[in-house]
């Protein structure tokens, strides 16, 4: 009868260890893998046929103010069309446009 008690103790210890390892794994995945393991695209559909999306503008041609997209959702990219508002509501993000304007003299 003494050996069955030892067997029960071993079974309880193994169950406890497996349970603790499972909780630790789930906590690790929830806290750390989101930042490092899950890569998601920022640019979903703008100029996907080019290796890098680059736009250049002359400040002289800009006018008094220019508003550029930073969320990559604008239908008028690289200019902002306000799409970041819907993106922020859906994702909880806080991205907004880049606004460049001439300094008032």
């Amino acid at each position: 009868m003494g050996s069955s008690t030892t067997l029960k103790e071993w079974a309880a210890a193994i169950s406890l260890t497996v349970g603790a390892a499972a909780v630790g794994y789930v906590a690790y995945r929830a806290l750390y893998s989101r930042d490092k393991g899950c890569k998601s695209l920022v640019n979903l559909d703008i100029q996907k046929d080019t290796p890098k999306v680059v736009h250049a503008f002359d400040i002289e041609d800009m006018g008094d103010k220019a508003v550029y997209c930073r969320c990559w959702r604008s239908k008028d990219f690289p200019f902002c069309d306000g799409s970041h508002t819907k993106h922020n509501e859906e994702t909880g993000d806080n991205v907004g446009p880049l606004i460049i304007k001439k300094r008032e003299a």
Side-chain angles (χ1 to χ4, degrees):
M1 192 149 173
S3 67
S4 68
T5 302
T6 304
L7 189 57
K8 287 180 184 178
E9 289 173 349
W10 272 105
I14 290 171
S15 297
L16 183 62
T17 303
V18 169
V23 169
Y25 175 75
V26 169
Y28 170 78
R29 292 287 305 223
L31 297 174
Y32 295 106
S33 68
R34 212 178 300 152
D35 296 335
K36 298 174 186 168
C38 298
K39 295 181 181 180
S40 62
L41 296 176
V42 174
N43 177 8
L44 301 178
D45 59 359
I46 298 169
Q47 295 181 5
K48 297 304 279 186
D49 57 332
T50 61
K52 188 188 312 184
V53 178
V54 178
H55 293 93
F57 302 94
D58 289 328
I59 291 177
E60 292 81 18
D61 298 337
M62 190 175 71
D64 291 335
K65 177 178 166 183
V67 183
Y68 295 102
C69 176
R70 293 192 304 169
C71 73
W72 291 85
R73 305 298 187 266
S74 175
K75 301 291 184 230
D76 193 25
F77 193 87
F79 300 103
C80 178
D81 68 358
S83 295
H84 59 272
T85 303
K86 181 179 177 186
H87 166 77
N88 290 345
E89 289 171 357
E90 291 175 350
T91 65
D93 205 349
N94 65 346
V95 69
L98 169 65
I99 301 173
I100 301 174
K101 59 184 178 178
K102 288 186 179 179
R103 187 178 303 159
E104 294 181 22

